[in-house]
């Protein structure tokens, strides 16, 4: 199944294409303006399973990819979120990563109705497991590995906590994988769609994985936060799983939030309620198998480990 | 903390600034100041004082007595200095205010 970036005729651009996709409570209009050949296909593949709304729907954000004029006009593109371009123009082959980064930038800086945490999250039996940590901690890889074990995918980068009832709103956007995680996930989830690979001399290789269809279909179904894991991939260290005190978990989650400060009392109450509702663990893992096994144990028996040594 | 108590009158009253809220987990208090937007993590003694001051206007003597009972230590000059130091730090953070 594919979304269709419909050709729309406008007074100034005769070859624009636009689609509005629904991602749980969030909606994104993707607009390819005067789109060069080859740009629509990868986007349609990556967003192929998302419900498509009427193109005239007013979305939360419109992300527009516009070709750049000037010297490299035919090979460069720039991404705009509601008219603002947070990043420089990039070569056409980098359109997909810059589009995803631009959507993240917009959500991170502009969505105020929910508490935003930099975290991945999955769900099983209505209980959400939040993976919180800085970039490079292994959140996405761990998240994808848990999907292979049957967890429902909620989010890869941005956890949205609803102040009204503390529920986690799914935001199942494409999963950003890097370096060895790409081949690993291709092996663990052989049916999942993977984008082309993007080679960056400074950062290595990146690719995007389309979330499982059932996770996208259930994007409107919230989950109750139950477990917070602070993972850290340490290939040369031993495995360690230890409980984290709630006050410490609170401060770590504050550091990971985009809008805790701006939400004021609402931010404090929402985060405090989440912290009280969850058990918290720090997980240092040298191998994915060990980490996934430990998390599955915790998900089966919440509260099994309570005391901090 | 030596000398801190000299900056305070003998019997001032204190109370928590309106809107300040907190949670206590395992002896740690996480305190939010709605005026500054800052969140503070304070120890159990400071949290105990905040809790006491929530009841409204409270004298330093009452705070000392409460902390003395809580910690099971004598209500002496050393405790007075400790309590005064905590009150001043809470005041600096905008979490409590003096009434006298």
């Amino acid at each position: 199944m594919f979304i269709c970036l419909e050709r729309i005729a406008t007074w100034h651009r005769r070859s624009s294409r636009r689609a509005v996709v629904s991602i749980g409570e969030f909606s994104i209009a993707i607009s390819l303006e005067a789109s060069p050949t080859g740009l629509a296909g990868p986007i349609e593949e990556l967003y192929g399973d998302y419900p498509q709304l009427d193109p005239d729907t007013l979305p939360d954000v419109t992300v527009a990819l516009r070709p750049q004029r000037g010297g490299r006009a035919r090979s460069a593109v720039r991404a705009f979120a509601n008219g603002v371009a947070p990043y420089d123009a990039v070569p056409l082959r980098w359109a997909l990563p810059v589009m995803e980064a631009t959507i993240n930038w917009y959500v991170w800086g502009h969505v105020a109705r929910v508490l935003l945490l930099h975290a991945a999250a999955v769900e099983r039996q209505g209980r959400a497991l939040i993976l919180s940590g800085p970039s490079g901690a292994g959140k996405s890889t761990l998240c994808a590995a848990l999907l292979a074990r049957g967890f429902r995918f909620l989010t890869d980068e941005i956890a949205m906590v609803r102040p009204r009832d503390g529920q986690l709103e799914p935001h199942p956007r494409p999963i950003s994988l890097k370096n060895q995680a790409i081949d690993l996930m291709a092996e663990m989830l052989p049916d999942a769609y993977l984008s082309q690979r993007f080679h960056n001399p400074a950062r290595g290789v990146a690719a995007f994985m389309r979330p499982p269809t059932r996770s996208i279909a259930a994007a409107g179904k919230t989950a109750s936060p139950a477990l917070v894991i602070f993972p850290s991939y340490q290939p040369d260290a031993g495995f360690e799983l230890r409980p984290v005190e709630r006050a410490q978990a609170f401060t770590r989650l504050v550091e990971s939030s985009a809008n805790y400060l701006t939400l004021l009392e609402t931010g404090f109450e929402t985060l405090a309620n989440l912290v009280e509702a969850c058990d918290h663990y720090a997980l240092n893992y040298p191998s994915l198998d060990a980490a996934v096994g430990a998390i599955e144990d915790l998900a089966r028996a919440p509260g099994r480990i309570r005391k901090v040594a | 903390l030596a000398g801190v108590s000299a900056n305070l009158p003998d019997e001032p009253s204190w109370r928590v600034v309106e809107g300040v809220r907190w949670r206590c987990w395992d002896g740690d208090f996480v305190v939010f100041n709605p005026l500054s937007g800052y969140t503070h993590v304070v120890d159990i003694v400071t949290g105990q004082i905040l809790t006491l001051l929530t009841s409204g206007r409270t004298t330093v003597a009452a705070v000392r007595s409460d902390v003395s009972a809580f910690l099971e230590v004598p209500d002496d000059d050393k405790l007075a200095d400790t309590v005064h130091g905590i009150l001043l730090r809470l005041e600096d953070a905008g979490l409590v205010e003096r009434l006298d």
Side-chain angles (χ1 to χ4, degrees):
Chain A
M1 191 167 92
F2 297 96
I3 62 163
C4 178
L5 290 160
E6 295 186 9
R7 288 182 184 280
I8 54 173
T10 63
W11 64 274
H12 64 300
R13 296 185 196 285
R14 285 182 293 177
S15 59
S16 291
R17 291 178 164 203
R18 176 184 163 96
V20 183
V21 293
S22 167
I23 303 172
E25 297 291 321
F26 200 74
S27 59
I28 303 172
I30 300 169
S31 177
L32 307 185
E33 300 183 2
S35 58
T37 305
L39 197 53
I43 295 172
E44 288 174 337
E45 291 268 14
L46 200 58
Y47 280 90
D49 284 344
Y50 293 85
Q52 190 170 353
L53 306 177
D54 186 290
D56 292 329
T57 303
L58 184 63
D60 288 294
V61 60
T62 295
V63 58
L65 294 175
R66 296 177 188 158
Q68 287 294 285
R69 303 184 190 287
R72 295 187 301 165
R74 293 180 186 280
S75 59
V77 67
R78 197 163 191 200
F80 293 77
N82 285 358
V84 179
Y87 303 107
D88 291 338
V90 295
L92 187 60
R93 65 179 183 280
W94 280 87
L96 195 56
V98 82
M99 184 185 91
E100 286 301 306
T102 299
I103 297 170
N104 284 345
W105 170 84
Y106 180 83
V107 174
W108 205 238
H110 299 80
V111 174
R113 65 177 181 77
V114 287
L115 179 69
L116 301 171
L117 303 174
H118 184 205
V122 296
E123 176 266 349
R124 179 178 275 175
Q125 296 178 331
R127 303 172 70 248
L129 187 164
I130 297 168
L131 302 165
S132 173
S135 296
K139 297 188 302 293
S140 295
T141 308
L142 205 46
C143 177
L146 291 168
L147 302 189
R149 301 290 185 102
F151 283 80
R152 173 166 71 109
F153 176 60
L154 298 178
T155 183
D156 173 46
E157 286 274 347
I158 303 172
M160 298 180 164
V161 187
R162 202 158 64 188
R164 172 162 49 89
D165 55 9
Q167 288 283 292
L168 202 65
E169 287 186 359
H171 187 64
R173 299 246 314 283
I175 303 168
S176 170
L177 297 170
K178 296 179 185 69
N179 301 317
Q180 300 93 323
I182 300 171
D183 286 335
L184 200 59
M185 288 308 116
E187 189 180 319
M188 294 178 85
L189 295 163
D191 296 332
Y193 169 79
L194 270 174
S195 73
Q196 71 173 95
R197 298 178 187 216
F198 304 94
H199 298 264
N200 182 324
R203 295 185 176 182
V205 186
F208 295 94
M209 189 176 82
R210 187 167 69 199
T213 305
R214 74 177 185 94
S215 297
I216 293 173
K221 186 180 174 187
T222 61
S224 302
L227 207 54
V228 176
I229 308 276
F230 299 100
S232 176
Y233 175 57
Q234 297 181 3
D236 300 323
F239 176 89
E240 184 187 21
L241 177 69
R242 59 181 172 81
V244 174
E245 298 278 8
R246 285 201 161 92
Q248 189 189 352
F250 187 96
T251 56
R252 291 177 76 163
L253 290 170
V254 166
E255 288 167 8
S256 82
S257 176
N259 61 356
Y260 170 81
L261 287 175
T262 54
L263 291 180
L264 296 172
E265 290 96 331
T266 299
F268 175 80
E269 293 294 337
T270 304
L271 189 56
N273 290 339
L274 180 138
V275 165
E276 285 182 355
C278 294
D279 291 324
H280 309 265
Y281 295 91
L283 171 65
N284 298 335
Y285 66 99
S287 78
L288 206 51
D289 282 346
V292 169
I295 290 173
E296 284 200 295
D297 284 347
L298 288 174
R300 273 194 290 266
R304 190 167 56 93
I305 304 172
R306 299 293 301 180
K307 290 288 182 188
V308 177
Chain B
L1 295 175
V4 167
S5 59
N7 296 328
L8 295 172
D10 287 342
E11 273 298 308
S13 291
W14 296 77
R15 71 177 174 195
V16 172
V17 170
E18 187 176 350
V20 168
R21 53 190 72 196
W22 62 85
R23 301 288 177 99
C24 175
W25 299 304
D26 307 314
D28 292 317
F29 283 69
V30 179
V31 188
F32 179 73
N33 181 345
L35 298 179
S36 69
Y38 288 136
T39 303
H40 308 264
V41 179
V42 302
D43 62 31
I44 193 166
V45 176
T46 307
Q48 175 71 14
I49 291 175
L50 271 177
T51 305
L52 179 67
L53 296 184
T54 309
S55 58
R57 185 186 190 96
T58 308
T59 64
V60 171
V63 175
R64 284 170 47 179
S65 172
D66 182 79
V67 173
S68 169
F70 180 70
L71 293 178
E72 298 179 346
V73 297
D75 184 357
D76 55 13
D77 287 347
K78 185 178 176 187
L79 181 69
D81 281 346
T82 301
V83 167
H84 286 160
I86 291 172
L87 286 170
L88 287 180
R89 284 196 293 275
L90 288 171
E91 184 182 38
D92 282 345
L95 300 173
V96 302
E97 58 190 355
R98 244 181 283 208
L99 296 173
D100 296 333

